[in-house]
PDB file of all heavy atoms in Angstrom:
ATOM      1  N   ASP A   1     -11.701  14.474  12.997  1.00 97.00           N
ATOM      2  CA  ASP A   1     -12.964  15.177  13.221  1.00 97.00           C
ATOM      3  C   ASP A   1     -13.535  14.690  14.543  1.00 97.00           C
ATOM      4  O   ASP A   1     -14.040  13.577  14.638  1.00 97.00           O
ATOM      5  CB  ASP A   1     -13.948  14.908  12.082  1.00 97.00           C
ATOM      6  CG  ASP A   1     -15.224  15.739  12.196  1.00 97.00           C
ATOM      7  OD1 ASP A   1     -15.497  16.290  13.281  1.00 97.00           O
ATOM      8  OD2 ASP A   1     -15.945  15.827  11.193  1.00 97.00           O
ATOM      9  N   ASP A   2     -13.448  15.545  15.549  1.00 96.00           N
ATOM     10  CA  ASP A   2     -13.932  15.163  16.881  1.00 96.00           C
ATOM     11  C   ASP A   2     -15.440  14.995  16.931  1.00 96.00           C
ATOM     12  O   ASP A   2     -15.955  14.331  17.828  1.00 96.00           O
ATOM     13  CB  ASP A   2     -13.503  16.207  17.919  1.00 96.00           C
ATOM     14  CG  ASP A   2     -12.003  16.210  18.141  1.00 96.00           C
ATOM     15  OD1 ASP A   2     -11.344  15.192  17.843  1.00 96.00           O
ATOM     16  OD2 ASP A   2     -11.474  17.240  18.611  1.00 96.00           O
ATOM     17  N   ASN A   3     -16.156  15.585  15.993  1.00 95.00           N
ATOM     18  CA  ASN A   3     -17.619  15.533  16.006  1.00 95.00           C
ATOM     19  C   ASN A   3     -18.202  14.482  15.069  1.00 95.00           C
ATOM     20  O   ASN A   3     -19.420  14.331  14.995  1.00 95.00           O
ATOM     21  CB  ASN A   3     -18.191  16.900  15.639  1.00 95.00           C
ATOM     22  CG  ASN A   3     -17.785  17.948  16.650  1.00 95.00           C
ATOM     23  OD1 ASN A   3     -17.883  17.735  17.850  1.00 95.00           O
ATOM     24  ND2 ASN A   3     -17.278  19.073  16.173  1.00 95.00           N
ATOM     25  N   ALA A   4     -17.374  13.769  14.348  1.00 97.00           N
ATOM     26  CA  ALA A   4     -17.877  12.774  13.387  1.00 97.00           C
ATOM     27  C   ALA A   4     -18.621  11.666  14.119  1.00 97.00           C
ATOM     28  O   ALA A   4     -18.183  11.172  15.158  1.00 97.00           O
ATOM     29  CB  ALA A   4     -16.727  12.193  12.588  1.00 97.00           C
ATOM     30  N   ALA A   5     -19.752  11.283  13.544  1.00 97.00           N
ATOM     31  CA  ALA A   5     -20.563  10.187  14.077  1.00 97.00           C
ATOM     32  C   ALA A   5     -20.359   8.956  13.193  1.00 97.00           C
ATOM     33  O   ALA A   5     -19.628   8.998  12.201  1.00 97.00           O
ATOM     34  CB  ALA A   5     -22.034  10.599  14.098  1.00 97.00           C
ATOM     35  N   ALA A   6     -21.022   7.866  13.534  1.00 97.00           N
ATOM     36  CA  ALA A   6     -20.890   6.622  12.772  1.00 97.00           C
ATOM     37  C   ALA A   6     -21.259   6.815  11.308  1.00 97.00           C
ATOM     38  O   ALA A   6     -20.591   6.282  10.416  1.00 97.00           O
ATOM     39  CB  ALA A   6     -21.738   5.528  13.409  1.00 97.00           C
ATOM     40  N   ALA A   7     -22.309   7.583  11.032  1.00 96.00           N
ATOM     41  CA  ALA A   7     -22.715   7.820   9.638  1.00 96.00           C
ATOM     42  C   ALA A   7     -21.625   8.565   8.874  1.00 96.00           C
ATOM     43  O   ALA A   7     -21.379   8.291   7.687  1.00 96.00           O
ATOM     44  CB  ALA A   7     -24.024   8.602   9.584  1.00 96.00           C
ATOM     45  N   ASP A   8     -20.947   9.497   9.540  1.00 97.00           N
ATOM     46  CA  ASP A   8     -19.835  10.216   8.912  1.00 97.00           C
ATOM     47  C   ASP A   8     -18.675   9.262   8.626  1.00 97.00           C
ATOM     48  O   ASP A   8     -18.047   9.338   7.569  1.00 97.00           O
ATOM     49  CB  ASP A   8     -19.351  11.358   9.807  1.00 97.00           C
ATOM     50  CG  ASP A   8     -20.441  12.371  10.099  1.00 97.00           C
ATOM     51  OD1 ASP A   8     -21.129  12.790   9.157  1.00 97.00           O
ATOM     52  OD2 ASP A   8     -20.600  12.731  11.287  1.00 97.00           O
ATOM     53  N   MET A   9     -18.415   8.365   9.571  1.00 96.00           N
ATOM     54  CA  MET A   9     -17.338   7.389   9.381  1.00 96.00           C
ATOM     55  C   MET A   9     -17.672   6.460   8.226  1.00 96.00           C
ATOM     56  O   MET A   9     -16.790   6.094   7.445  1.00 96.00           O
ATOM     57  CB  MET A   9     -17.102   6.599  10.674  1.00 96.00           C
ATOM     58  CG  MET A   9     -15.944   5.636  10.606  1.00 96.00           C
ATOM     59  SD  MET A   9     -14.368   6.495  10.379  1.00 96.00           S
ATOM     60  CE  MET A   9     -13.232   5.133  10.417  1.00 96.00           C
ATOM     61  N   ASP A  10     -18.922   6.089   8.086  1.00 95.00           N
ATOM     62  CA  ASP A  10     -19.337   5.228   6.977  1.00 95.00           C
ATOM     63  C   ASP A  10     -19.122   5.952   5.641  1.00 95.00           C
ATOM     64  O   ASP A  10     -18.561   5.374   4.706  1.00 95.00           O
ATOM     65  CB  ASP A  10     -20.792   4.806   7.134  1.00 95.00           C
ATOM     66  CG  ASP A  10     -21.232   3.870   6.033  1.00 95.00           C
ATOM     67  OD1 ASP A  10     -20.589   2.812   5.850  1.00 95.00           O
ATOM     68  OD2 ASP A  10     -22.217   4.188   5.337  1.00 95.00           O
ATOM     69  N   ALA A  11     -19.534   7.195   5.550  1.00 95.00           N
ATOM     70  CA  ALA A  11     -19.358   7.966   4.312  1.00 95.00           C
ATOM     71  C   ALA A  11     -17.867   8.138   4.002  1.00 95.00           C
ATOM     72  O   ALA A  11     -17.447   8.021   2.838  1.00 95.00           O
ATOM     73  CB  ALA A  11     -20.051   9.319   4.424  1.00 95.00           C
ATOM     74  N   TYR A  12     -17.075   8.409   5.019  1.00 96.00           N
ATOM     75  CA  TYR A  12     -15.633   8.569   4.845  1.00 96.00           C
ATOM     76  C   TYR A  12     -15.008   7.259   4.364  1.00 96.00           C
ATOM     77  O   TYR A  12     -14.193   7.244   3.441  1.00 96.00           O
ATOM     78  CB  TYR A  12     -15.006   9.031   6.165  1.00 96.00           C
ATOM     79  CG  TYR A  12     -13.509   9.126   6.162  1.00 96.00           C
ATOM     80  CD1 TYR A  12     -12.840  10.001   5.304  1.00 96.00           C
ATOM     81  CD2 TYR A  12     -12.746   8.343   7.025  1.00 96.00           C
ATOM     82  CE1 TYR A  12     -11.459  10.094   5.307  1.00 96.00           C
ATOM     83  CE2 TYR A  12     -11.358   8.434   7.033  1.00 96.00           C
ATOM     84  CZ  TYR A  12     -10.725   9.308   6.168  1.00 96.00           C
ATOM     85  OH  TYR A  12      -9.353   9.394   6.174  1.00 96.00           O
ATOM     86  N   THR A  13     -15.419   6.148   4.955  1.00 94.00           N
ATOM     87  CA  THR A  13     -14.901   4.840   4.560  1.00 94.00           C
ATOM     88  C   THR A  13     -15.204   4.558   3.095  1.00 94.00           C
ATOM     89  O   THR A  13     -14.325   4.138   2.334  1.00 94.00           O
ATOM     90  CB  THR A  13     -15.483   3.733   5.461  1.00 94.00           C
ATOM     91  OG1 THR A  13     -15.053   3.962   6.813  1.00 94.00           O
ATOM     92  CG2 THR A  13     -15.043   2.349   5.012  1.00 94.00           C
ATOM     93  N   GLN A  14     -16.436   4.807   2.689  1.00 91.00           N
ATOM     94  CA  GLN A  14     -16.816   4.571   1.296  1.00 91.00           C
ATOM     95  C   GLN A  14     -15.998   5.455   0.349  1.00 91.00           C
ATOM     96  O   GLN A  14     -15.550   4.999  -0.708  1.00 91.00           O
ATOM     97  CB  GLN A  14     -18.321   4.801   1.094  1.00 91.00           C
ATOM     98  CG  GLN A  14     -19.204   3.864   1.889  1.00 91.00           C
ATOM     99  CD  GLN A  14     -18.845   2.395   1.712  1.00 91.00           C
ATOM    100  OE1 GLN A  14     -18.597   1.932   0.607  1.00 91.00           O
ATOM    101  NE2 GLN A  14     -18.798   1.671   2.806  1.00 91.00           N
ATOM    102  N   ALA A  15     -15.804   6.708   0.721  1.00 94.00           N
ATOM    103  CA  ALA A  15     -15.010   7.620  -0.109  1.00 94.00           C
ATOM    104  C   ALA A  15     -13.556   7.147  -0.198  1.00 94.00           C
ATOM    105  O   ALA A  15     -12.944   7.215  -1.271  1.00 94.00           O
ATOM    106  CB  ALA A  15     -15.081   9.043   0.443  1.00 94.00           C
ATOM    107  N   CYS A  16     -13.019   6.663   0.904  1.00 93.00           N
ATOM    108  CA  CYS A  16     -11.630   6.175   0.914  1.00 93.00           C
ATOM    109  C   CYS A  16     -11.472   4.942   0.030  1.00 93.00           C
ATOM    110  O   CYS A  16     -10.491   4.821  -0.713  1.00 93.00           O
ATOM    111  CB  CYS A  16     -11.192   5.849   2.340  1.00 93.00           C
ATOM    112  SG  CYS A  16     -10.949   7.301   3.386  1.00 93.00           S
ATOM    113  N   VAL A  17     -12.419   4.012   0.102  1.00 90.00           N
ATOM    114  CA  VAL A  17     -12.361   2.808  -0.729  1.00 90.00           C
ATOM    115  C   VAL A  17     -12.420   3.192  -2.203  1.00 90.00           C
ATOM    116  O   VAL A  17     -11.619   2.720  -3.015  1.00 90.00           O
ATOM    117  CB  VAL A  17     -13.485   1.816  -0.354  1.00 90.00           C
ATOM    118  CG1 VAL A  17     -13.599   0.700  -1.385  1.00 90.00           C
ATOM    119  CG2 VAL A  17     -13.254   1.244   1.045  1.00 90.00           C
ATOM    120  N   THR A  18     -13.348   4.059  -2.539  1.00 89.00           N
ATOM    121  CA  THR A  18     -13.476   4.505  -3.932  1.00 89.00           C
ATOM    122  C   THR A  18     -12.184   5.152  -4.408  1.00 89.00           C
ATOM    123  O   THR A  18     -11.686   4.859  -5.502  1.00 89.00           O
ATOM    124  CB  THR A  18     -14.662   5.479  -4.073  1.00 89.00           C
ATOM    125  OG1 THR A  18     -15.856   4.789  -3.698  1.00 89.00           O
ATOM    126  CG2 THR A  18     -14.789   6.004  -5.493  1.00 89.00           C
ATOM    127  N   TRP A  19     -11.616   6.031  -3.598  1.00 90.00           N
ATOM    128  CA  TRP A  19     -10.378   6.715  -3.968  1.00 90.00           C
ATOM    129  C   TRP A  19      -9.238   5.711  -4.151  1.00 90.00           C
ATOM    130  O   TRP A  19      -8.514   5.755  -5.155  1.00 90.00           O
ATOM    131  CB  TRP A  19     -10.001   7.755  -2.909  1.00 90.00           C
ATOM    132  CG  TRP A  19      -8.794   8.535  -3.291  1.00 90.00           C
ATOM    133  CD1 TRP A  19      -8.763   9.709  -3.979  1.00 90.00           C
ATOM    134  CD2 TRP A  19      -7.425   8.182  -3.050  1.00 90.00           C
ATOM    135  NE1 TRP A  19      -7.456  10.107  -4.174  1.00 90.00           N
ATOM    136  CE2 TRP A  19      -6.617   9.188  -3.616  1.00 90.00           C
ATOM    137  CE3 TRP A  19      -6.809   7.118  -2.409  1.00 90.00           C
ATOM    138  CZ2 TRP A  19      -5.231   9.159  -3.556  1.00 90.00           C
ATOM    139  CZ3 TRP A  19      -5.415   7.082  -2.360  1.00 90.00           C
ATOM    140  CH2 TRP A  19      -4.640   8.098  -2.926  1.00 90.00           C
ATOM    141  N   ALA A  20      -9.059   4.811  -3.193  1.00 87.00           N
ATOM    142  CA  ALA A  20      -7.947   3.857  -3.260  1.00 87.00           C
ATOM    143  C   ALA A  20      -8.062   2.939  -4.472  1.00 87.00           C
ATOM    144  O   ALA A  20      -7.076   2.708  -5.172  1.00 87.00           O
ATOM    145  CB  ALA A  20      -7.875   3.038  -1.974  1.00 87.00           C
ATOM    146  N   LEU A  21      -9.254   2.427  -4.727  1.00 84.00           N
ATOM    147  CA  LEU A  21      -9.419   1.527  -5.866  1.00 84.00           C
ATOM    148  C   LEU A  21      -9.248   2.264  -7.191  1.00 84.00           C
ATOM    149  O   LEU A  21      -8.790   1.685  -8.173  1.00 84.00           O
ATOM    150  CB  LEU A  21     -10.767   0.814  -5.797  1.00 84.00           C
ATOM    151  CG  LEU A  21     -10.944  -0.133  -4.604  1.00 84.00           C
ATOM    152  CD1 LEU A  21     -12.302  -0.802  -4.652  1.00 84.00           C
ATOM    153  CD2 LEU A  21      -9.814  -1.152  -4.501  1.00 84.00           C
ATOM    154  N   SER A  22      -9.577   3.546  -7.207  1.00 85.00           N
ATOM    155  CA  SER A  22      -9.390   4.353  -8.421  1.00 85.00           C
ATOM    156  C   SER A  22      -7.930   4.727  -8.644  1.00 85.00           C
ATOM    157  O   SER A  22      -7.521   4.973  -9.774  1.00 85.00           O
ATOM    158  CB  SER A  22     -10.221   5.634  -8.340  1.00 85.00           C
ATOM    159  OG  SER A  22     -11.588   5.330  -8.296  1.00 85.00           O
ATOM    160  N   ASN A  23      -7.156   4.790  -7.579  1.00 82.00           N
ATOM    161  CA  ASN A  23      -5.763   5.217  -7.674  1.00 82.00           C
ATOM    162  C   ASN A  23      -4.761   4.064  -7.625  1.00 82.00           C
ATOM    163  O   ASN A  23      -3.556   4.293  -7.785  1.00 82.00           O
ATOM    164  CB  ASN A  23      -5.442   6.225  -6.570  1.00 82.00           C
ATOM    165  CG  ASN A  23      -6.056   7.567  -6.881  1.00 82.00           C
ATOM    166  OD1 ASN A  23      -5.508   8.343  -7.648  1.00 82.00           O
ATOM    167  ND2 ASN A  23      -7.225   7.838  -6.323  1.00 82.00           N
ATOM    168  N   TYR A  24      -5.239   2.851  -7.400  1.00 59.00           N
ATOM    169  CA  TYR A  24      -4.355   1.683  -7.383  1.00 59.00           C
ATOM    170  C   TYR A  24      -3.779   1.470  -8.771  1.00 59.00           C
ATOM    171  O   TYR A  24      -4.491   1.530  -9.770  1.00 59.00           O
ATOM    172  CB  TYR A  24      -5.133   0.442  -6.929  1.00 59.00           C
ATOM    173  CG  TYR A  24      -4.408  -0.847  -7.226  1.00 59.00           C
ATOM    174  CD1 TYR A  24      -3.319  -1.244  -6.463  1.00 59.00           C
ATOM    175  CD2 TYR A  24      -4.797  -1.657  -8.284  1.00 59.00           C
ATOM    176  CE1 TYR A  24      -2.638  -2.420  -6.739  1.00 59.00           C
ATOM    177  CE2 TYR A  24      -4.134  -2.840  -8.569  1.00 59.00           C
ATOM    178  CZ  TYR A  24      -3.054  -3.215  -7.796  1.00 59.00           C
ATOM    179  OH  TYR A  24      -2.383  -4.375  -8.070  1.00 59.00           O
ATOM    180  N   GLN A  25      -2.474   1.228  -8.831  1.00 58.00           N
ATOM    181  CA  GLN A  25      -1.817   0.916 -10.092  1.00 58.00           C
ATOM    182  C   GLN A  25      -1.040  -0.380  -9.906  1.00 58.00           C
ATOM    183  O   GLN A  25      -0.404  -0.588  -8.897  1.00 58.00           O
ATOM    184  CB  GLN A  25      -0.867   2.038 -10.506  1.00 58.00           C
ATOM    185  CG  GLN A  25      -1.585   3.329 -10.781  1.00 58.00           C
ATOM    186  CD  GLN A  25      -0.627   4.448 -11.147  1.00 58.00           C
ATOM    187  OE1 GLN A  25       0.576   4.289 -11.126  1.00 58.00           O
ATOM    188  NE2 GLN A  25      -1.178   5.592 -11.505  1.00 58.00           N
ATOM    189  N   GLY A  26      -1.103  -1.218 -10.871  1.00 55.00           N
ATOM    190  CA  GLY A  26      -0.393  -2.493 -10.799  1.00 55.00           C
ATOM    191  C   GLY A  26      -1.204  -3.569 -11.489  1.00 55.00           C
ATOM    192  O   GLY A  26      -2.184  -3.285 -12.189  1.00 55.00           O
ATOM    193  N   LEU A  27      -0.786  -4.796 -11.286  1.00 46.00           N
ATOM    194  CA  LEU A  27      -1.528  -5.915 -11.860  1.00 46.00           C
ATOM    195  C   LEU A  27      -2.967  -5.885 -11.370  1.00 46.00           C
ATOM    196  O   LEU A  27      -3.244  -5.371 -10.283  1.00 46.00           O
ATOM    197  CB  LEU A  27      -0.886  -7.241 -11.455  1.00 46.00           C
ATOM    198  CG  LEU A  27       0.462  -7.567 -12.081  1.00 46.00           C
ATOM    199  CD1 LEU A  27       1.017  -8.853 -11.489  1.00 46.00           C
ATOM    200  CD2 LEU A  27       0.346  -7.690 -13.588  1.00 46.00           C
ATOM    201  N   PRO A  28      -3.879  -6.447 -12.142  1.00 47.00           N
ATOM    202  CA  PRO A  28      -5.270  -6.483 -11.678  1.00 47.00           C
ATOM    203  C   PRO A  28      -5.384  -7.160 -10.308  1.00 47.00           C
ATOM    204  O   PRO A  28      -4.685  -8.134 -10.029  1.00 47.00           O
ATOM    205  CB  PRO A  28      -5.977  -7.304 -12.756  1.00 47.00           C
ATOM    206  CG  PRO A  28      -5.126  -7.129 -13.981  1.00 47.00           C
ATOM    207  CD  PRO A  28      -3.715  -7.024 -13.459  1.00 47.00           C
ATOM    208  N   ARG A  29      -6.243  -6.623  -9.483  1.00 43.00           N
ATOM    209  CA  ARG A  29      -6.467  -7.211  -8.166  1.00 43.00           C
ATOM    210  C   ARG A  29      -6.913  -8.653  -8.343  1.00 43.00           C
ATOM    211  O   ARG A  29      -7.675  -8.980  -9.236  1.00 43.00           O
ATOM    212  CB  ARG A  29      -7.533  -6.436  -7.398  1.00 43.00           C
ATOM    213  CG  ARG A  29      -7.132  -5.036  -7.076  1.00 43.00           C
ATOM    214  CD  ARG A  29      -8.133  -4.338  -6.161  1.00 43.00           C
ATOM    215  NE  ARG A  29      -9.498  -4.787  -6.288  1.00 43.00           N
ATOM    216  CZ  ARG A  29     -10.492  -4.069  -6.805  1.00 43.00           C
ATOM    217  NH1 ARG A  29     -10.260  -2.863  -7.252  1.00 43.00           N
ATOM    218  NH2 ARG A  29     -11.706  -4.548  -6.875  1.00 43.00           N
ATOM    219  N   GLY A  30      -6.424  -9.499  -7.476  1.00 44.00           N
ATOM    220  CA  GLY A  30      -6.772 -10.904  -7.530  1.00 44.00           C
ATOM    221  C   GLY A  30      -5.695 -11.746  -8.191  1.00 44.00           C
ATOM    222  O   GLY A  30      -5.635 -12.944  -7.983  1.00 44.00           O
ATOM    223  N   LEU A  31      -4.828 -11.136  -8.986  1.00 44.00           N
ATOM    224  CA  LEU A  31      -3.718 -11.856  -9.620  1.00 44.00           C
ATOM    225  C   LEU A  31      -2.474 -11.681  -8.752  1.00 44.00           C
ATOM    226  O   LEU A  31      -1.534 -10.974  -9.098  1.00 44.00           O
ATOM    227  CB  LEU A  31      -3.461 -11.334 -11.039  1.00 44.00           C
ATOM    228  CG  LEU A  31      -4.612 -11.516 -12.027  1.00 44.00           C
ATOM    229  CD1 LEU A  31      -4.281 -10.862 -13.357  1.00 44.00           C
ATOM    230  CD2 LEU A  31      -4.915 -12.988 -12.211  1.00 44.00           C
ATOM    231  N   GLN A  32      -2.508 -12.304  -7.600  1.00 45.00           N
ATOM    232  CA  GLN A  32      -1.450 -12.199  -6.597  1.00 45.00           C
ATOM    233  C   GLN A  32      -1.281 -10.770  -6.090  1.00 45.00           C
ATOM    234  O   GLN A  32      -0.221 -10.406  -5.596  1.00 45.00           O
ATOM    235  CB  GLN A  32      -0.123 -12.742  -7.127  1.00 45.00           C
ATOM    236  CG  GLN A  32      -0.150 -14.213  -7.468  1.00 45.00           C
ATOM    237  CD  GLN A  32      -0.609 -15.097  -6.335  1.00 45.00           C
ATOM    238  OE1 GLN A  32      -1.718 -15.590  -6.347  1.00 45.00           O
ATOM    239  NE2 GLN A  32       0.231 -15.296  -5.345  1.00 45.00           N
ATOM    240  N   LYS A  33      -2.308  -9.951  -6.243  1.00 59.00           N
ATOM    241  CA  LYS A  33      -2.302  -8.571  -5.749  1.00 59.00           C
ATOM    242  C   LYS A  33      -3.569  -8.322  -4.962  1.00 59.00           C
ATOM    243  O   LYS A  33      -4.644  -8.805  -5.323  1.00 59.00           O
ATOM    244  CB  LYS A  33      -2.252  -7.562  -6.912  1.00 59.00           C
ATOM    245  CG  LYS A  33      -1.016  -7.648  -7.756  1.00 59.00           C
ATOM    246  CD  LYS A  33       0.166  -7.075  -7.036  1.00 59.00           C
ATOM    247  CE  LYS A  33       1.377  -7.072  -7.965  1.00 59.00           C
ATOM    248  NZ  LYS A  33       2.523  -6.462  -7.385  1.00 59.00           N
ATOM    249  N   GLY A  34      -3.448  -7.556  -3.903  1.00 69.00           N
ATOM    250  CA  GLY A  34      -4.601  -7.159  -3.111  1.00 69.00           C
ATOM    251  C   GLY A  34      -4.435  -5.720  -2.666  1.00 69.00           C
ATOM    252  O   GLY A  34      -3.322  -5.178  -2.657  1.00 69.00           O
ATOM    253  N   VAL A  35      -5.542  -5.089  -2.306  1.00 74.00           N
ATOM    254  CA  VAL A  35      -5.526  -3.702  -1.864  1.00 74.00           C
ATOM    255  C   VAL A  35      -6.172  -3.621  -0.485  1.00 74.00           C
ATOM    256  O   VAL A  35      -7.284  -4.122  -0.283  1.00 74.00           O
ATOM    257  CB  VAL A  35      -6.289  -2.793  -2.863  1.00 74.00           C
ATOM    258  CG1 VAL A  35      -6.371  -1.367  -2.344  1.00 74.00           C
ATOM    259  CG2 VAL A  35      -5.619  -2.823  -4.221  1.00 74.00           C
ATOM    260  N   GLY A  36      -5.452  -3.003   0.415  1.00 80.00           N
ATOM    261  CA  GLY A  36      -5.965  -2.760   1.759  1.00 80.00           C
ATOM    262  C   GLY A  36      -6.202  -1.276   1.953  1.00 80.00           C
ATOM    263  O   GLY A  36      -5.314  -0.469   1.679  1.00 80.00           O
ATOM    264  N   VAL A  37      -7.393  -0.919   2.392  1.00 88.00           N
ATOM    265  CA  VAL A  37      -7.759   0.478   2.604  1.00 88.00           C
ATOM    266  C   VAL A  37      -8.020   0.670   4.094  1.00 88.00           C
ATOM    267  O   VAL A  37      -8.873  -0.012   4.668  1.00 88.00           O
ATOM    268  CB  VAL A  37      -9.006   0.864   1.778  1.00 88.00           C
ATOM    269  CG1 VAL A  37      -9.311   2.341   1.941  1.00 88.00           C
ATOM    270  CG2 VAL A  37      -8.824   0.499   0.315  1.00 88.00           C
ATOM    271  N   TYR A  38      -7.290   1.590   4.693  1.00 91.00           N
ATOM    272  CA  TYR A  38      -7.403   1.871   6.122  1.00 91.00           C
ATOM    273  C   TYR A  38      -7.922   3.294   6.309  1.00 91.00           C
ATOM    274  O   TYR A  38      -7.121   4.224   6.409  1.00 91.00           O
ATOM    275  CB  TYR A  38      -6.049   1.718   6.807  1.00 91.00           C
ATOM    276  CG  TYR A  38      -5.435   0.349   6.685  1.00 91.00           C
ATOM    277  CD1 TYR A  38      -4.737  -0.025   5.543  1.00 91.00           C
ATOM    278  CD2 TYR A  38      -5.547  -0.575   7.709  1.00 91.00           C
ATOM    279  CE1 TYR A  38      -4.169  -1.276   5.417  1.00 91.00           C
ATOM    280  CE2 TYR A  38      -4.978  -1.830   7.605  1.00 91.00           C
ATOM    281  CZ  TYR A  38      -4.292  -2.183   6.460  1.00 91.00           C
ATOM    282  OH  TYR A  38      -3.741  -3.427   6.350  1.00 91.00           O
TER     283      TYR A  38
END
């Protein structure tokens, strides 16, 4: 999105984190597992 501003990037980041944490499958985070959201 060429027109996205910082507020748009913040909203997108929050949506991405929520999506990734909701879709992560595996051992619970923190038990030798971590999730990176880019």
Side-chain angles (χ1 to χ4, degrees):
D1 186 344
D2 292 338
N3 298 313
D8 300 313
M9 184 64 177
D10 182 56
Y12 175 62
T13 297
Q14 298 309 316
C16 289
V17 169
T18 299
W19 184 91
L21 295 181
S22 296
N23 286 279
Y24 165 75
Q25 296 178 356
L27 290 175
R29 295 187 331 250
L31 297 175
Q32 297 305 105
K33 297 286 185 176
V35 175
V37 184
Y38 301 82

